[in-house]
Amino acid sequence: MLSHLEKQQTVLEIQGQTILKGEVIISGAKNSALALMAGSLLCSEDCRLRNLPSLVDINRMTQVLAALGVKLQRTGDILEINARNIGKSQAPYELVSQLRASFFVIGPLLARLGMTRVPLPGGCAIGARPVDLHVRGLQAMGADVRIEHGEVHACVKGSRSRLTGAKIYLDYPSVGATETIMMAATLADGETIIENAAQEPEIIDLANFCCSMGAKIRGAGTNKIVISGVERLHSTDYHVIPDRIEAGTFLVAGAITQSEISLFPVIPEHIASAIAKLRAIGPKVIIEEPNRLRLIPAPLRATDVETLPFPGFSTDMQAQFMALLTLSEGNSVITETVFENRLRHVAELQRMGADIRVKGNIALVRGVPFLSGAPVMATDLRASAALVLSGLAAQGKTLVQGLHHLDRGYDSLEEKLRKLGANIRRVNLASEEELNSYSTVTS
Ligand code: EPZ
């Protein structure tokens, strides 16, 4: 029987092998919204963000900004922000430790206030997640940066009140470091050039957001971004791009359940690598209008996947495609090159009957004819999505635990899947009848 601790858990119960049908609405992009919220600190006037997803991570970023003195008002998918009085220049540890992305406030705070203290975000399930590239970029722009007692202390050196534009080469095209440096550079004195910059769509969205406030940024989306500093930024009303990772996750939901579904809104070029991979595996992906995709299912064939910085195949889609490839005929080699510990979903997929062998950062997946439902534990955000996808395809019932991971990054996933016809519901295992329906022996 489940232990007492597990009894108290809310879990997703999925009855597999239901065909999906219909259209799913894709929410605003988590990884863009978080950066834009940090970017709103650059401006002392009203900012409005539209198409914001409802996620735990967004709520946490709202708390971080509020703790810094920012005024925020959320109405539906609209967030009104006013960072006029960001007196306190220190983000609280207990909030930053729960949301790594809150470290992105360091660039805007330094640019606005000339000094700041931000707790080191620390690692997470998928890796150590260092911030050395962020720090080195700010130092190149004239900040004195020290790490003491788990906090990054940064202040503009000497008598200068502003950061100074610099030429910065990133050893790795880090998304976060590119965002930190780009935001800080918008108010710096002079021109900043970021070479080997990240090219993810979220970088373009952040650059467009900053430009809508009067920043001067060229080259976002390429590996060289040029920012000419300005004195101050003004208010804006900005619409966040759709979430490419949520879109990719739903494409896999259609493919893994052999269902024809459509997705809207989607920006196809944001998931070109995932679309290409899906087509290699078998399904058809049709671009019906500028921002609507239709998936036509087909028998699944093995293929190889290597995660790379954009425009390569996204690491945030690796777990979902592994779930799909466990049911694809033949052998697939999956190589995770971005994070050092992002194969933890393998053990849970194996519990469902997947045939996977891991050597270092490489997983060899041998396709099996079917998966069988089981109680499984999510280990991180995208792993939880992979387990839901596997549950949708598996024979019998799957119980996905560890939903705090899922709720960080997916807006109403089970409601959206249920609307497509999936047999999925959130249950509290404390209720007796739920317990009796699972005769599981915990390991
Ligand atoms: C962003 O994380 C995303 N998060 C991640 O999405 C995504 O997986 C990642 O970019 C890669 O695309 C947000 O945007 C909030 P990185 P970030 O800096 O910025 C190393 C999800 O599931 N690195 O590009 O932290 C780092 O260790 C999340 O939605 C340094 O060495 O990613 C990693 O190996 C997970 N030093 C690699 O770069 C640094 O200073 C990529 O990290 C920074 C990063």
Side-chain angles (χ1 to χ4, degrees), residues 48-176:
R48 178 178 295 132
L49 292 180
R50 298 175 186 273
N51 194 35
L52 223 61
S54 296
L55 302 171
V56 168
D57 274 8
I58 299 292
N59 299 342
R60 284 177 174 157
M61 182 61 105
T62 304
Q63 290 170 339
V64 170
L65 296 181
L68 292 167
V70 178
K71 298 279 173 274
L72 304 111
Q73 174 72 39
R74 172 112 194 213
T75 315
D77 72 353
I78 295 175
L79 181 64
E80 312 275 359
I81 305 174
N82 184 291
R84 189 189 325 279
N85 304 315
I86 44 171
K88 274 190 71 181
S89 65
Q90 182 188 353
Y93 172 70
E94 64 281 359
L95 293 175
V96 172
S97 63
Q98 293 178 35
L99 173 65
R100 296 195 68 267
S102 42
F103 187 73
F104 294 167
V105 303
I106 190 168
L109 286 175
L110 192 56
R112 267 292 293 285
L113 304 175
M115 55 81 65
T116 183
R117 279 166 55 190
V118 181
L120 270 176
C124 70
I126 63 177
R129 312 293 294 273
V131 292
D132 56 309
L133 298 175
H134 300 242
V135 170
R136 294 212 317 255
L138 295 175
Q139 287 170 329
M141 296 171 72
D144 176 35
V145 184
R146 286 172 295 110
I147 294 176
E148 279 171 11
H149 310 299
E151 283 191 333
V152 180
H153 297 247
C155 69
V156 177
K157 265 189 220 163
S159 58
R160 304 186 69 84
S161 62
R162 289 170 74 189
L163 291 166
T164 309
K167 189 166 183 179
I168 296 161
Y169 175 84
L170 289 178
D171 290 349
Y172 184 91
S174 155
V175 172

Side-chain angles (χ1 to χ4, degrees), residues 33 51 91-93 172 204 210 253 275 340 345 347 355 358 365 383 427-428:
N51 194 35
Y93 172 70
Y172 184 91
I204 301 172
C210 292
I275 291 172
E340 66 267 28
H345 39 280
D355 182 347
V358 173
V365 181
V427 296
N428 178 340

Side-chain angles (χ1 to χ4, degrees), residues 30-31 34 100-101 104 126 128-134 172-177 179 200 244-245 314-316 338-340 342 381-382:
K30 165 180 87 80
N31 290 348
L34 291 169
R100 296 195 68 267
F104 294 167
I126 63 177
R129 312 293 294 273
V131 292
D132 56 309
L133 298 175
H134 300 242
Y172 184 91
S174 155
V175 172
E179 292 172 340
E200 273 70 5
R244 62 192 171 101
I245 306 302
S314 170
T315 175
D316 297 343
V338 176
F339 288 107
E340 66 267 28
R342 205 171 197 178
L381 168 55
R382 304 306 173 182

Side-chain angles (χ1 to χ4, degrees), residues 182-230:
M182 186 166 76
M183 288 190 282
T186 59
L187 296 176
D189 184 11
E191 181 177 85
T192 298
I193 298 173
I194 307 173
E195 299 209 294
N196 197 29
Q199 304 177 52
E200 273 70 5
E202 292 74 30
I203 304 284
I204 301 172
D205 210 29
L206 178 61
N208 290 339
F209 169 71
C210 292
C211 290
S212 75
M213 294 193 287
K216 292 185 172 33
I217 302 174
R218 300 190 316 275
T222 73
N223 62 5
K224 179 175 179 179
I225 303 176
V226 181
I227 306 105
S228 305
V230 296

